[in-house]
Amino acid sequence: MRTDTPQPIRLTDYSPFPFAIETTRLVFELHPSATRVRAELAVRRIGAAGEALTLNGERLKLMSVAIDGQALSANQYVADAEHLTVHEVPDQFVLTTEVEIDPLANKALTGLYMSGGRFCTQCEAEGFRTITYFPDRPDVLSRFSVRIEADGGLPHLLSNGNLVDQGALEGSRHFAEWVDPFPKPSYLFALVAGDLDVVTDSFVTMSGREVALKIFVDPGQASRATYALDSLKRAMKWDEEAFGREYDLDLFMIVAVRDFNFGAMENKGLNIFNSSLLLADPQTATDADYERIEAVVAHEYFHNWTGNRITCRDWFQLCLKEGFTVFRDQSFSADMRGAAVQRIKDVRVLRARQFAEDAGPLAHPVRPSSYLKIDNFYTATIYEKGSEIIRMLKTLLGAEAFRKGCDLYFERHDGQATTVEAFIACFAEASGRDLSNFFAWYEQAGTPTVTIASDYDADAQVLTLDLRQSTAPTPGQPAKKALPIPIAIGLLSLDGEALRDTEVVVLDQDAMTVRWEGVSKPPVLSALRNFSAPVNLKTDARPSDRYVLLASDTDLFNRWEAGQTLARDLILARAVGKPDEVGEERYAEGLGRALVDDASEPAFKALLLALPSEPDLALISEPTDPQALHDARDALRTRIAVHLGDLLRRLFGEMQNEGEFSPDAQAAGRRALGAACADMLSADPHADNLARLTGRYEAARNMTDMISGLNALISVGGATRDSAVAHFHQAWRNEPLVMDKWFAAQARDPNPDALDRVIGLTQNADFEPTNPNRLRALVSTFAHFNPARFHDPSGAGYRFLADQILSVDAFNPMTAARLIEPLGAWRRYKPELGALMRQELERIAAHPDLSKNVLELVTKSLA
Ligand code: B3K
Ligand code: ZN
């Protein structure tokens, strides 16, 4: 284990930077392995006299330092591995530094690097310091102007803001000059240089300004950018209508790159996207891809106000921009695609990722108070739970007061780097409400459990609800306080009529009682409607109540939830050797009735038909036995497939989309229902079902149908699987984004030989560990979504993951760290598995030169 323990950064240590950087002039002379960067910073002291100037800088070859044009000699500054310090500086001066960097050797994909022969950058959170010396922190806002000089083979030279000049230079080189009029922190800086095709359009803003829109993609890929462009225009319009936010530059650009550590980045005026979240056509992208492209294009665009115009004072405030922006993109998607279906999908992600995080060793508050590497805090908690907090705020205040609070925030803090406290203060002020107890949602980690017990007095027609909350301890937070939890509750009668409309009860103590009079019939409780708070709900509802909700609740979220809860209980009972066969038949029948309900949409039915996932089941059964859960879930799938065979085959046939492909929500919903039926039918693989599945795969004319067919055929195993896998490879081997899907589909293979096959795939000629998409497609998909095979009793699955983490950490720490989480849950697994998981974490921890990123997460996972 390494001995030089890195020191954590703490929220309480915040102090402002003692200098303002009024302007930043950057000159790039681009060369793949030796790029020169000259930076001229106009510096003005704003802190105490005599304080030294300390800039961040890592992996930089320092060529020269000058103050007001006078070169400094080596004894006038100190440059160590992480900083450049000049002890004696005037109160106002221009600092010029020149450094050399090697983008070609940069496989960490932060800072300036090369992807597919082009230069690109990723600076958030701390990549700028590997480009030049700078106060690389979000509260130092500066006006940037950028000159890029490069070879003529890189025709497009892009940076933030507006293009003000371009031209030819000596030899075959040329240049471009960019000026960004909006002061910004260094993490929003971007540069791209390369041979790209461009798709152009324009948007007229609400005040009548015309904005040029440009999407840059690999040569030949332009037709695949049209959906992203369409999404962008809809997002721009929506932000004007829903939040009154208008775009501010004359130009908005997006560039797609293949090698990217995560989804996309909101750099001012120049968003950079992972190509998997930008490029789509019916042949190569699934409906899920279209949906994510729409959401992420919107998300990054929305950051222009929530993130860029108003940014974070320090990285502890990350949720200020991320939680709010996720809430904004979820609201946009709800308007584009239907609120109920969107809410169900968002909650599924929240539970699978954030609830899992909150229940494990990496649990942390939405606003954490310390970290080693900020890269590790781009988590589901900051993003997804951060969004839930904003949603609760809106529920508590009402839409109108919420909007007033947003308006005040935009007006008051425009151009600033601010805090979560300042944000909440705007809502308190705009609504006249005391929000002091609400802040605990940001500071307390862990998922609360809410328990509701109900007592109905038929004679008095009174319903009494006893509500309680509790939150289990999380690392560093042994005692928890009560949070203000908005719980939306409605009542139905036993025959499914509405008995009482939704009312939001705010549970803000450990326990409270609610008494409702005039309840004329025995009620069925529909609680936590639309998932009004990020909590686990326990009620005393009987299965018969859940069937009432499944059939009739007007709240579609709770209708879906009732079905999930019924299925979950049946699977858990079977997994501990107590199958409820009568209950399973009853469930299949209830599901069958819901599937023929003409009033509900196919997209909703597809969600009803999907059983709770294995990772979700793992989270609620302790100690977890992944194999038992897998077998129990499979048994229920088979029972449904047999019991509802005719109905599933009929729906599967009816959902075939004839005619031209449309990515819209309705057509996608039909395909989703077809895929859900295919998944169920593959659990009963007799000749007739198999013929239908194979026939669908062979006839598929779009990637959605093709992938659902491939998944179903893979799950059947044997020769059926092998020939589908070979056929798919043959058809798509030249399409990187589709090959990612090929790897991911095999990583999800539920058959017993899957582990060996997945390990074998790392030797496949198409496996490129330096490409994060490809790596995640195989390794992360396997570890997260194939629990029965990952948790092989031999420990070989864990060993495989640990080997991958160690080898990737040597060149891309950020991506390596993101692979640790599946091992971190070791305490929740049955002891013989937990011990093997722990053993692999210890092996990683013992490695002599781990990155800070991996070290932090491994140490926390073992603690
Ligand atoms: N702000 C970026 C995430 C940056 C992650 C850096 N490790 C994308 C987004 O959330 O929109
Ligand atoms: Zn974001």
Side-chain angles (χ1 to χ4, degrees):
M1 172 105 67
R2 53 191 287 167
T3 44
D4 55 327
T5 320
Q7 288 307 304
I9 319 278
R10 292 179 206 288
L11 170 61
T12 46
D13 290 345
Y14 175 81
S15 71
F17 192 65
F19 298 89
I21 309 294
E22 281 165 342
T23 58
T24 299
R25 164 81 176 159
L26 300 174
V27 180
F28 286 84
E29 285 173 37
L30 294 179
H31 285 282
S33 56
T35 287
R36 282 290 173 116
V37 186
R38 194 171 82 237
E40 285 170 27
L41 314 183
V43 187
R44 183 171 53 83
R45 187 186 296 281
I46 50 175
E51 260 191 273
L53 174 75
T54 299
L55 305 176
N56 304 98
E58 292 175 19
R59 300 197 292 275
L60 304 171
K61 188 163 149 197
L62 179 58
M63 312 306 287
S64 64
V65 191
I67 284 189
D68 292 331
Q70 292 289 89
L72 301 192
S73 57
N75 61 0
Q76 289 176 293
Y77 61 87
V78 181
D80 63 22
E82 297 186 351
H83 300 101
L84 171 68
T85 305
V86 189
H87 284 285
E88 279 169 38
V89 291
D91 289 343
Q92 185 143 15
F93 58 98
V94 174
L95 178 83
T96 307
T97 60
E98 193 160 337
V99 300
E100 192 180 287
I101 53 178
D102 183 353
L104 193 59
N106 179 356
K107 301 290 173 221
L109 314 186
T110 85
L112 179 67
Y113 64 95
M114 303 208 64
S115 170
R118 79 174 61 114
F119 291 84
C120 65
T121 54
Q122 171 51 40
C123 292
E124 189 177 359
E126 299 182 333
F128 193 73
R129 63 187 62 184
T130 67
I131 296 176
T132 190
Y133 287 103
F134 200 78
D136 192 14
R137 41 188 287 169
D139 59 343
V140 176
L141 275 57
S142 183
R143 279 196 177 77
F144 281 67
S145 70
V146 177
R147 177 181 173 92
I148 308 169
E149 299 183 5
D151 197 83
L154 305 168
H156 291 283
L157 307 178
L158 314 175
S159 191
N160 318 83
N162 297 314
L163 178 64
V164 295
D165 195 12
Q166 56 185 328
L169 295 169
E170 296 245 316
S172 62
R173 290 177 77 81
H174 67 139
F175 77 95
E177 291 268 356
W178 292 84
V179 173
D180 183 356
F182 292 93
K184 65 169 176 289
S186 51
Y187 82 87
L188 291 173
F189 166 80
L191 177 153
V192 172
D195 183 11
L196 301 154
D197 277 359
V198 54
V199 189
T200 310
D201 203 336
S202 70
F203 178 82
V204 178
T205 70
M206 60 187 185
S207 72
R209 277 188 313 104
E210 183 164 332
V211 178
L213 310 177
K214 296 188 177 181
I215 299 189
F216 296 86
V217 296
D218 271 344
Q221 302 280 312
S223 64
R224 291 185 179 165
T226 49
Y227 187 73
L229 192 56
D230 177 61
S231 303
L232 173 63
K233 288 188 286 182
R234 285 184 282 120
M236 292 177 89
K237 183 100 192 114
W238 185 89
D239 210 16
E240 295 185 344
E241 287 165 0
F243 282 90
R245 297 300 100 202
E246 185 176 4
Y247 187 62
D248 48 14
L249 289 163
D250 302 331
L251 174 62
F252 186 82
M253 299 177 285
I254 304 179
V255 183
V257 299
R258 167 81 186 140
D259 302 288
F260 206 69
N261 273 342
F262 43 96
M265 178 64 211
E266 71 263 24
N267 317 299
K268 181 80 188 187
L270 177 57
N271 287 186
I272 299 182
F273 269 61
N274 188 320
S275 51
S276 69
L277 287 170
L278 198 87
L279 302 176
D281 63 20
Q283 277 64 51
T284 58
T286 61
D287 290 320
D289 295 326
Y290 278 97
E291 210 171 306
R292 288 196 67 209
I293 288 169
E294 179 178 80
V296 178
V297 166
H299 178 99
E300 305 310 332
Y301 172 73
F302 296 156
H303 268 314
N304 191 53
W305 272 95
T306 49
N308 302 3
R309 287 287 284 260
I310 307 180
T311 191
C312 304
R313 187 194 71 172
D314 53 71
W315 291 120
F316 295 102
Q317 321 295 330
L318 184 56
C319 66
L320 177 69
K321 74 179 180 80
E322 295 305 347
F324 193 12
T325 306
V326 170
F327 174 73
R328 279 152 53 69
D329 84 55
Q330 290 178 345
S331 308
F332 169 72
S333 295
D335 283 352
M336 297 296 121
R337 291 175 177 264
V341 165
Q342 185 62 35
R343 185 67 183 136
I344 292 168
K345 290 180 178 176
D346 290 340
V347 173
R348 279 209 308 204
V349 172
L350 177 79
R351 283 179 172 154
R353 298 192 44 228
Q354 201 279 324
F355 281 23
E357 191 163 81
D358 244 354
L362 303 178
H364 56 275
V366 170
R367 193 177 68 180
S369 53
S370 84
Y371 61 76
L372 274 191
K373 272 309 267 185
I374 187 58
D375 303 335
N376 287 336
F377 277 87
Y378 286 77
T379 60
T381 297
I382 307 282
Y383 277 66
E384 264 69 39
K385 190 172 177 182
S387 166
E388 292 300 315
I389 295 180
I390 309 289
R391 188 180 296 272
M392 287 189 286
L393 192 61
K394 184 171 177 183
T395 303
L396 290 168
L397 301 184
E400 206 176 310
F402 176 76
R403 174 66 195 269
K404 272 196 200 156
C406 293
D407 290 348
L408 180 59
Y409 173 67
F410 291 127
E411 188 195 312
R412 180 177 292 171
H413 295 289
D414 186 12
Q416 295 178 3
T418 190
T419 60
V420 180
E421 278 85 351
F423 174 76
I424 293 296
C426 292
F427 291 89
E429 204 172 308
S431 66
R433 296 266 290 267
D434 177 7
L435 292 174
S436 46
N437 69 346
F438 187 76
F439 206 78
W441 276 110
Y442 286 100
E443 292 178 318
Q444 184 163 293
T447 307
T449 294
V450 170
T451 314
I452 306 182
S454 50
D455 182 39
Y456 178 62
D457 180 339
D459 296 334
Q461 301 203 337
V462 168
L463 175 69
T464 310
L465 299 175
D466 175 70
L467 300 104
R468 288 165 197 276
Q469 64 168 298
S470 67
T471 303
T474 54
Q477 287 189 338
K480 301 287 184 179
K481 51 182 170 186
L483 298 166
I485 304 178
I487 306 173
I489 309 179
L491 299 180
L492 280 73
S493 71
L494 292 176
D495 38 53
E497 293 155 36
L499 215 54
R500 195 183 156 106
D501 286 344
T502 307
E503 180 171 322
V504 177
V505 173
V506 182
L507 171 61
D508 56 3
Q509 304 140 40
D510 290 331
M512 85 188 222
T513 305
V514 170
R515 215 181 108 89
W516 280 345
E517 295 182 0
V519 179
S520 56
K521 292 182 188 168
V524 173
L525 195 68
S526 171
L528 205 67
R529 280 186 158 173
N530 205 32
F531 206 65
S532 56
V535 301
N536 284 308
L537 177 67
K538 292 200 171 129
T539 67
D540 48 10
R542 299 154 300 175
S544 58
D545 296 333
R546 303 202 194 280
Y547 282 105
V548 173
L549 299 178
L550 174 61
S552 318
D553 201 335
T554 49
D555 184 79
L556 290 184
F557 179 86
N558 268 3
R559 198 186 281 200
W560 171 78
E561 180 82 332
Q564 293 287 299
T565 311
L566 286 163
R568 196 186 69 195
D569 292 348
L570 291 167
I571 295 168
L572 293 184
R574 193 175 259 281
V576 296
K578 293 183 191 138
D580 172 2
E581 309 221 348
V582 178
E584 290 180 357
E585 292 286 325
R586 190 176 172 204
Y587 176 69
E589 269 158 36
L591 196 57
R593 280 192 300 275
L595 289 175
V596 295
D597 178 353
D598 286 336
S600 53
E601 297 168 63
F604 178 70
K605 290 180 184 174
L607 293 168
L608 278 182
L609 190 51
L611 294 178
S613 72
E614 290 175 49
D616 290 357
L617 294 163
L619 198 58
I620 50 169
S621 62
E622 215 178 317
T624 305
D625 180 347
Q627 191 59 52
L629 289 174
H630 174 79
D631 294 345
R633 183 178 183 277
D634 241 21
L636 183 60
R637 269 175 79 221
T638 305
R639 185 180 295 278
I640 295 168
V642 172
H643 195 100
L644 297 181
D646 289 336
L647 171 61
L648 292 170
R649 279 182 290 273
R650 176 162 69 75
L651 281 174
F652 181 63
E654 283 172 11
M655 291 306 121
Q656 210 124 351
N657 280 297
E658 303 298 343
E660 215 184 312
F661 179 91
S662 159
D664 70 29
Q666 246 176 350
R670 292 173 57 83
R671 286 187 289 270
L673 182 53
C677 292
D679 176 66
M680 236 8 131
L681 291 171
S682 71
D684 180 23
H686 55 64
D688 178 24
N689 282 352
L690 267 187
R692 286 169 201 257
L693 295 173
T694 313
R696 170 64 65 88
Y697 171 75
E698 284 167 358
R701 282 176 303 144
N702 59 68
M703 188 45 68
T704 306
D705 289 347
M706 191 137 201
I707 277 289
S708 85
L710 180 67
N711 287 335
L713 296 176
I714 286 178
S715 81
V716 170
T720 309
R721 167 186 71 191
D722 297 348
S723 71
V725 164
H727 170 267
F728 194 96
H729 182 267
Q730 182 62 26
W732 298 109
R733 57 171 194 254
N734 295 323
E735 290 287 354
L737 292 172
V738 184
M739 284 305 288
D740 293 339
K741 299 183 197 304
W742 182 76
F743 278 95
Q746 295 180 83
R748 288 174 181 262
D749 181 348
N751 293 290
D753 56 351
L755 171 59
D756 287 339
R757 291 172 60 96
V758 166
I759 295 174
L761 279 169
T762 59
Q763 302 306 313
N764 187 289
D766 293 309
F767 183 69
E768 300 166 75
T770 51
N771 176 258
N773 292 3
R774 189 60 50 86
L775 181 82
R776 279 193 292 259
L778 185 66
V779 180
S780 187
T781 307
F782 178 67
H784 276 108
F785 300 108
N786 200 348
R789 300 304 153 223
F790 172 60
H791 294 276
D792 189 89
S794 69
Y798 311 145
R799 205 151 53 237
F800 164 68
L801 181 61
D803 287 343
Q804 292 296 321
I805 291 169
L806 286 173
S807 80
V808 174
D809 193 42
F811 57 87
N812 188 339
M814 197 189 288
T815 293
R818 291 185 165 219
L819 297 173
I820 289 166
E821 195 216 283
L823 290 170
W826 61 274
R827 281 186 191 79
R828 287 211 316 273
Y829 283 82
K830 57 178 190 177
E832 52 278 37
L833 294 178
L836 291 167
M837 293 166 84
R838 188 185 162 92
Q839 200 174 307
E840 291 304 322
L841 285 169
E842 282 166 349
R843 179 160 73 92
I844 299 172
H847 196 269
D849 34 41
L850 282 186
S851 67
K852 270 195 208 175
N853 303 54
V854 168
L855 180 71
E856 175 175 33
L857 297 188
V858 165
T859 313
K860 286 184 173 165
S861 299
L862 285 167

